Amino acid sequence: MGGFFHIVHRKLKSRLPLHPACGRMVPSALVLLFCAITTPYLPGELPLKSVLHIIFAFLSAVLVLLYLLLVIWSQYQIYPQVYRGFLYGWLAIVGGSALLLAAAGIISSALEIYVTLTSAAMAERLISRIARQAALEGRESSCAGYARLES
């Protein structure tokens, strides 16, 4: 999944002027995800490492969600009617995550899967919408240019 978000970040970075702090969020999230994967989760045997595993994974997801929010917000300020749905979708992801966290009381597999799938779907739709917006504005005037934006 880390590779997917790296590709998403590269595509968005090439199409939008991102704030430098925003541009560092996905690479930082990937580093944290790597730390989470390589830190064992064995609460009975290694309680400190297990806590670090949870913190790394949680912060990685938070950074990806903040990144998506900043990209959505930057476009919402320019095209509020077009990106309002994305803003509501982001709020639904965060709200659903809060409900799953409250229901389980811990960061569960269901929560991890929900955040991963919904944020990936959001990112893919966001890339597609930004590419269409660029084509509509004439930044790419040919069909080949539009196809290049979509890939």
Side-chain angles (χ1 to χ4, degrees):
M1 204 63 195
F4 172 77
F5 282 108
H6 177 69
I7 291 168
V8 165
H9 172 62
R10 284 187 31 213
K11 286 182 178 181
L12 290 174
K13 186 171 73 168
S14 70
R15 295 182 179 119
L16 298 173
L18 297 175
H19 188 276
C22 185
R24 288 189 289 273
M25 283 184 179
V26 170
S28 298
L30 295 178
V31 168
L32 287 167
L33 183 60
F34 176 78
C35 291
I37 291 169
T38 58
T39 304
Y41 182 74
L42 302 167
E45 298 174 31
L46 303 167
L48 177 62
K49 287 188 177 183
S50 296
V51 169
L52 288 175
H53 171 88
I54 291 168
I55 291 170
F56 292 148
F58 179 78
L59 290 176
S60 177
V62 167
L63 283 176
V64 167
L65 288 172
L66 282 175
Y67 175 80
L68 289 173
L69 176 63
L70 291 174
V71 169
I72 292 166
W73 186 253
S74 72
Q75 294 304 292
Y76 177 79
Q77 290 178 326
I78 302 167
Y79 311 104
Q81 69 284 2
V82 175
Y83 289 91
R84 183 170 289 118
F86 285 98
L87 199 53
Y88 292 152
W90 186 89
L91 290 169
I93 292 171
V94 172
S97 299
L99 287 174
L100 285 171
L101 182 60
I106 60 169
I107 298 174
S108 63
S109 295
L111 174 59
E112 292 174 1
I113 292 167
Y114 175 77
V115 170
T116 301
L117 293 179
T118 56
S119 60
M122 169 76 69
E124 185 59 38
R125 286 180 172 221
L126 192 57
I127 288 172
S128 198
R129 183 62 200 153
I130 289 170
R132 279 194 312 259
Q133 195 70 36
L136 289 172
E137 290 178 357
R139 287 185 258 168
E140 291 287 339
S141 57
S142 68
C143 291
Y146 183 72
R148 190 171 59 250
L149 285 173
E150 287 292 321
S151 65

